[in-house]
Amino acid sequence: MTRQDSQTILLVEDEAIVALEERAVLERNGFAVVVARTGEAAVSVAAERPDIDLILMDIDLGDGIDGTRAAELILSGSDVPLVFLSSHTDPDVVRRTEGITSYGYIVKHTGETVLLASIAMAFRLYDARRRELAAERARRESDAELERFFASSLDMLCISSHDGRFLRLNPQWERELGYPLSELEGREFMDFVHPDDHERTLQVL
């Protein structure tokens, strides 16, 4: 089974003949295709079909909402890769898509090879973005766990600069020394070492 065999594409195209041609190309290359003829229909299908893996969105959809507005409505409630597929190359039209999270802009009738390559690239970009988001979530969770440990530890924990100045201290310092943390931060570690122990402490540091 190829990747395409497991992918379902929502094709949003108001022109019947163009939709038939594009659907035939996609199905010939192993994709399952669902067609929506209006922006409103696209929003409805996207809400009802969680199995949609990618959306090919035309911009000019005749009466009703256009493709950019349909894309905004869909993406407000779904995380699905979307690629604009349009005959428009005017800068003003392209600019209308810039604020929308999309994974490409394909000009119609540029050929089957370009269409398939653009779809494959959209899937790769989407997968890369999901990996980045997952890694970022993991980092945030790790940071939160470290923060909880730092704040609740009964050991005196600190973050210091290379020259030994306290940048941050956990609450245990205040409990042990009786000084507010605001008075401790910025001071040097050696301020709290007995003079008789300075030499040995410096050697250890």
Side-chain angles (χ1 to χ4, degrees), residues 3-50:
R3 181 186 175 92
Q4 291 95 316
D5 292 324
S6 63
Q7 303 299 324
T8 298
I9 291 180
L10 171 58
L11 173 63
V12 187
E13 172 60 65
D14 65 319
E15 297 183 34
I17 294 177
V18 175
L20 285 173
E21 293 174 349
E22 292 169 347
R23 180 173 191 164
V25 169
L26 294 169
E27 290 182 338
R28 185 166 64 246
N29 285 275
F31 292 103
V33 181
V34 179
V35 177
R37 299 284 300 279
T38 67
E40 290 82 357
V43 173
S44 178
V45 171
E48 296 170 359
R49 295 285 301 268

Side-chain angles (χ1 to χ4, degrees), residues 103-162:
Y103 292 86
Y105 190 105
I106 307 171
V107 178
K108 290 183 182 179
H109 311 301
T110 51
E112 181 173 327
T113 300
V114 172
L115 176 62
L116 296 176
S118 298
I119 290 173
M121 177 60 72
F123 277 125
R124 286 196 294 272
L125 292 173
Y126 177 71
D127 289 343
R129 176 175 172 271
R130 286 179 64 86
R131 288 193 298 270
E132 289 177 1
L133 291 175
E136 179 59 30
R137 282 195 298 271
R139 283 194 295 270
R140 287 198 300 267
E141 291 171 0
S142 177
D143 289 346
E145 182 65 26
L146 287 172
E147 181 64 28
R148 286 192 293 270
F149 173 76
F150 186 84
S152 62
S153 176
L154 297 180
D155 293 319
M156 297 168 68
L157 304 179
C158 72
I159 300 172
S160 68
S161 62
H162 289 297

Side-chain angles (χ1 to χ4, degrees), residues 82-93:
L82 183 144
V83 177
F84 287 103
L85 178 62
S86 176
S87 58
H88 295 285
T89 57
D90 300 337
D92 289 341
V93 175

